[in-house]
Each structure stands twice: as structure tokens, then as C-alpha cells.
């Protein structure tokens, strides 16, 4: 039985992304915990975590051409197979550097999945529903990402078990695309320009000229997601928290994002995304400052991680919606790619700087790092708002 409605397409694409989010949410803290137990240096641990996002970054430069040539379904299949097989290879190949390469491959596969599903949705969603639909899409990813750290706790039963569970779920997820009628012919909107690496870079330049501010929010979300899931387990272990504590604290951020992601997305449709983003960033900065004060309290960290998720856990979906508002439809593939690139840059920067801060300060100013990142991007956003108002 095949389905043709927009709702069916949205549900199936979101389920695929949910499983992808689960794999990422499990992999980051799982490997960080394993490497910390093997007494790997915190900075090297953070650098290792960047492998996933280097894969996302590198693949972003080359996947627009095959997407335009082959369409959405073949790309989703390819991405799912890459992620599933890579996950199943982790228990077989034990070298720390081979694990880095496998992380890189997971990043490539995840980016192919996200880029294909995200472009398909942003292209086919009516404008008046865009914020709500992308918020639900982000909610599915966040839900998967929230479950991931708890599944990583299976490592205490048998180290390969969480990898096997994730690999099997991924290989069960991507075949759902065959339930969509007409998916074999679904293609991106033709931009009228031949697809070459040169034109891809030209599209990047065009989309940056119109929408640069929107890409800072996926980048900021990348910093949050990657550093919290890679560096926080190291910080927490060194401050006396047990693995079971960590796997309750980490999902609290995703839980907070899930709580209000859809209402926040719908609110952005009504009041304007740039103004809403500014308010949420300020509240998020205050929340991270409180984390610095209560960094040794399990209960307070759970509460503050939930609040941080509420305030800044929607930055990726808000950034995508904002980008779609101000980017020409024909350039949406390039815009979605650039969002992925900026998310990757943030995700690479986050674990490296976070690991360095933990090493140099003993973790004393770990959460202040997030506050400073928020302050910089909030200032740029306010500047963009006033400049846009002056030009109107």
C-alpha cells in the first residue's frame, strides 16, 4: 500500500529523520564515555567527536548535484544505507582512528538524509504552514536525539549493543520511503542553471548575500548539540556524576526542545522569526549562566537543561524557516546545504573549544562558553534587524 498525501509524506520523512536523530544522539555521548574510560585526553576526545560533522561539512559541497540529478528517494536510500552499515561496523573495527572515519561516514550519510528530506519538505510546504511543519520535523529529530543517550547506557551490558541497536533501526527506517507514491519521480525545483561544483559555490554566494543571518542559528544549535553531547559527559564524569546521571541530564535538553518546539514555530509564523529568536537567545544565555552556578547539582542541571532546550532547542528549525522566508524558492537546495554547512561548522567548533575549556579550566567556565557564543550571535541578529528596517 502506498500513500500520496502531504501528511503521509511528512510523517514518513519525519520518522526517517527521527531514527537519524536517535543514531546521532546515541553515538556522541557513547563514544565520548568509552574514550574517557580509556583515558583519552579531553581535547582529543572533542576533536574525535568532530569527525561526524566533518563528514557533514565535506558532503555538503557535493550532494546538490546528485540530488538534482537523481531526486529525493535515491539520496534518502543512499544516506540510510551509509549510516546503517557504519553503525554496524563500530563493534567490529576497534581502532580509535577507524572509529573517526566511521563517524565521518555517519556524518556523510546523515547529511544526505537531512538535506534530501529537508529540501523536499521546505519545497512542498505551503508558506502559511511552514513554521509549524518545520517545527514538527525538528521535533521528530529532537525526540530521536533525546532517546539516543539513554540507549547509550546499554554499553554497561555489552559494549557493542548500542551500536547494533542503532544500526538495525536505521536499516529498518529508510525503506519507509517506498511507501510514498510518486517518490520515485520527486525532484528539486529546477533552478535553470547547470549543476556543477562552480555553480554550487555561486549558489552559496547568492544565498549568503540574501540570508546570511539565518545560517547563524543552525551553527549555534550545532555548537549546543555537539558540545553538550560530546564534552558534557567528560565534564560530568570528572565532577563525580555517574553514567546513569549523565543519560538523564543530556536528554533533558532535547525534551525541553520538544515541549514547545511546535508552538514556538507557529508563533514565529505570526510575530516574525527574527524578533522571536532574539528573545529566546537572551533567555537561553541567562539559563547557561545559571548552569555555571549549579554545575554540581543533578536536579538543577536537569531543570536547567530542560529550560535551555525550551529557549534555544528550536534554533535549527527557526533558522531553516527564517532562511526559507528570505530565500528565492529556486535557491532553497543551496540554502538547505548552507544551513547544513553552518551547522557542521558549529558542531566542529563546539567539541574542540568545549574540550579545550574543560582541559584548561578544569570545567570551571564550561557553560560560560555557551553564553558568550549566544551573546555574539544575538548582537549580530539585532544589527541585522535594524539594518533591514533602515533599508525598508
Amino acid at each position: 500500500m502506498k500513500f500520496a498525501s502531504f501528511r503521509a509524506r511528512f510523517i514518513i520523512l519525519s520518522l526517517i529523520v527521527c531514527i537519524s536523530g536517535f543514531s546521532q544522539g546515541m553515538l556522541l555521548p557513547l563514544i565520548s564515555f568509552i574514550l574517557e574510560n580509556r583515558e583519552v585526553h579531553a581535547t582529543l576526545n572533542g576533536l574525535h567527536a568532530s569527525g561526524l560533522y566533518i563528514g557533514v561539512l565535506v558532503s555538503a559541497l557535493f550532494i546538490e548535484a546528485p540530488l538534482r540529478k537523481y531526486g529525493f528517494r535515491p539520496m534518502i536510500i543512499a544516506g540510510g544505507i551509509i549510516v546503517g552499515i557504519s553503525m554496524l561496523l563500530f563493534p567490529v573495527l576497534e581502532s580509535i582512528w577507524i572509529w573517526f572515519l566511521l563517524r565521518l561516514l555517519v556524518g556523510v550519510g546523515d547529511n544526505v538524509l537531512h538535506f534530501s528530506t529537508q529540501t523536499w519538505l521546505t519545497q512542498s510546504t505551503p508558506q502559511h504552514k511552514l513554521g509549524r511543519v518545520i517545527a514538527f520535523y525538528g521535533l521528530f529529530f529532537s525526540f530521536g536525539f533525546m532517546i539516543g543517550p539513554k540507549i547509550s547506557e546499554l554499553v554497561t551490558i555489552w559494549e557493542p549493543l548500542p551500536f547494533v541497536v542503532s544500526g538495525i533501526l536505521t536499516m529498518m527506517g529508510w525503506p519507509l520511503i517506498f511507501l510514498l507514491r510518486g517518490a520515485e519521480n520527486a525532484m528539486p525545483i529546477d533552478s535553470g542553471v547547470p549543476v556543477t561544483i562552480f555553480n554550487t559555490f555561486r549558489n552559496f554566494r547568492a544565498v549568503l548575500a540574501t540570508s546570511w543571518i539565518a545560517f547563524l542559528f543552525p551553527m549555534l544549535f550545532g555548537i549546543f548539540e555537539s558540545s553538550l553531547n560530546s564534552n558534557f559527559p567528560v565534564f560530568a564524569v570528572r565532577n563525580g556524576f555517574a553514567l546513569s546521571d549523565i543519560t538523564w541530564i543530556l536528554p533533558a535538553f532535547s525534551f525541553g526542545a520538544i515541549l514547545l518546539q511546535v508552538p514556538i514555530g507557529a508563533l514565529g509564523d505570526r510575530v516574525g522569526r527574527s524578533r522571536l529568536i532574539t528573545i529566546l537567545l537572551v533567555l537561553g544565555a541567562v539559563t547557561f549562566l545559571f548552569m555555571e552556578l549549579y554545575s554540581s547539582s543533578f536536579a538543577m542541571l536537569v531543570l536547567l537543561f530542560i529550560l535551555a532546550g525550551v529557549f534555544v532547542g528550536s534554533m535549527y528549525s527557526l533558522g531553516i524557516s527564517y532562511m526559507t522566508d528570505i530565500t528565492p524558492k529556486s535557491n532553497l537546495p543551496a540554502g538547505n546545504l548552507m544551513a547544513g554547512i553552518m551547522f557542521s561548522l558549529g558542531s566542529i567548533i563546539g567539541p574542540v573549544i568545549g574540550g579545550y575549556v574543560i582541559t584548561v579550566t578544569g570545567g570551571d567556565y564550561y557553560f560560560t562558553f555557551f553564553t558568550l557564543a549566544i551573546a555574539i550571535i544575538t548582537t549580530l541578529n539585532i544589527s541585522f534587524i535594524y539594518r533591514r528596517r533602515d533599508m525598508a
Side-chain angles (χ1 to χ4, degrees):
M1 181 177 181
K2 292 194 173 185
F3 305 94
S5 68
F6 173 79
R7 178 176 291 183
R9 183 193 315 145
F10 166 73
I11 291 173
I12 287 174
L13 294 180
S14 296
L15 284 173
I16 292 171
V17 166
C18 179
I19 294 172
S20 173
F22 162 79
S23 298
Q24 286 189 41
M26 183 213 70
L27 192 63
L28 288 166
L30 172 63
I31 295 184
S32 291
F33 181 77
I34 291 173
L35 295 184
E36 175 66 12
N37 277 349
R38 295 179 184 179
E39 299 184 348
V40 173
H41 195 278
T43 304
L44 180 58
N45 201 330
L47 283 168
H48 197 281
S50 70
L52 189 149
Y53 301 104
I54 292 173
V56 174
L57 180 61
V58 171
S59 65
L61 302 176
F62 303 102
I63 59 178
E64 183 180 13
L67 180 70
R68 289 190 182 276
K69 182 176 181 180
Y70 299 111
F72 297 115
R73 191 173 79 172
M75 296 294 283
I76 290 170
I77 293 170
I81 290 174
I82 291 170
V83 174
I85 291 177
S86 298
M87 284 292 184
L88 293 173
L89 285 175
F90 272 99
V92 179
L93 306 170
E94 278 287 316
S95 166
I96 184 174
W97 297 114
I98 293 178
W99 276 16
F100 181 84
L101 292 176
L102 289 175
R103 272 184 159 180
L104 191 146
L105 286 173
V106 170
V108 171
D110 270 331
N111 195 36
V112 171
L113 278 174
H114 282 283
F115 176 54
S116 303
T117 56
Q118 189 173 285
T119 302
W120 199 353
L121 280 179
T122 54
Q123 173 180 297
S124 59
T125 301
Q127 189 68 30
H128 68 284
K129 293 182 178 179
L130 182 65
R132 197 179 340 156
V133 167
I134 298 302
F136 268 113
Y137 173 82
L139 184 149
F140 272 85
F141 177 83
S142 296
F143 180 74
F145 205 91
M146 179 182 72
I147 296 172
K150 286 304 295 178
I151 300 301
S152 69
E153 203 172 338
L154 294 174
V155 71
T156 59
I157 300 173
W158 183 44
E159 188 173 287
L161 185 57
F163 296 109
V164 173
V165 170
S166 178
I168 291 173
L169 282 176
T170 301
M171 297 303 280
M172 291 171 60
W174 62 260
L176 294 173
I177 197 68
F178 290 105
L179 296 176
L180 290 178
R181 185 180 301 155
E184 63 275 12
N185 299 316
M187 306 286 289
I189 293 173
D190 187 3
S191 64
V193 178
V195 180
T196 65
I197 189 67
F198 173 78
N199 284 331
T200 294
F201 280 106
R202 189 166 69 176
N203 290 339
F204 286 163
R205 184 173 64 181
V207 81
L208 281 171
T210 59
S211 318
W212 65 269
I213 189 65
F215 302 122
L216 296 181
F217 309 119
M219 183 184 76
L220 186 62
F221 182 78
I223 292 173
F224 297 144
E225 179 190 277
S226 62
S227 182
L228 288 176
N229 283 275
S230 300
N231 300 137
F232 179 74
V234 176
F235 168 87
V237 166
R238 295 186 179 188
N239 283 271
F241 288 97
L243 177 60
S244 59
D245 296 331
I246 298 168
T247 57
W248 279 112
I249 296 170
L250 279 180
F253 182 84
S254 296
F255 177 70
I258 288 170
L259 278 179
L260 294 180
Q261 189 153 7
V262 174
I264 285 173
L267 184 61
D269 287 334
R270 292 197 298 270
V271 304
R273 274 172 262 277
S274 58
R275 185 186 309 167
L276 177 61
I277 286 169
T278 302
I279 296 169
L280 291 173
L281 287 176
V282 171
L283 293 172
V286 172
T287 303
F288 279 110
L289 283 177
F290 274 102
M291 286 185 195
E292 201 72 78
L293 296 174
Y294 295 99
S295 60
S296 60
S297 169
F298 170 78
M300 285 300 296
L301 282 179
V302 170
L303 175 61
L304 290 168
F305 266 60
I306 291 172
L307 289 176
V310 169
F311 297 138
V312 298
S314 301
M315 284 299 125
Y316 188 89
S317 58
L318 283 172
I320 294 298
S321 300
Y322 191 24
M323 179 274 296
T324 306
D325 290 339
I326 57 181
T327 303
K329 281 275 187 182
S330 62
N331 217 14
L332 280 179
N336 281 289
L337 269 179
M338 183 53 64
I341 289 172
M342 296 300 287
F343 171 77
S344 306
L345 288 174
S347 300
I348 292 168
I349 292 168
V352 174
I353 297 180
Y356 178 77
V357 170
I358 291 171
T359 300
V360 172
T361 70
D364 289 342
Y365 298 100
Y366 173 57
F367 296 112
T368 303
F369 156 53
F370 298 110
T371 303
L372 291 174
I374 292 172
I376 292 168
I377 291 178
T378 302
T379 302
L380 290 171
N381 187 44
I382 293 171
S383 173
F384 180 85
I385 292 171
Y386 278 104
R387 190 177 307 167
R388 189 178 175 89
R389 186 178 300 169
D390 292 340
M391 293 173 63

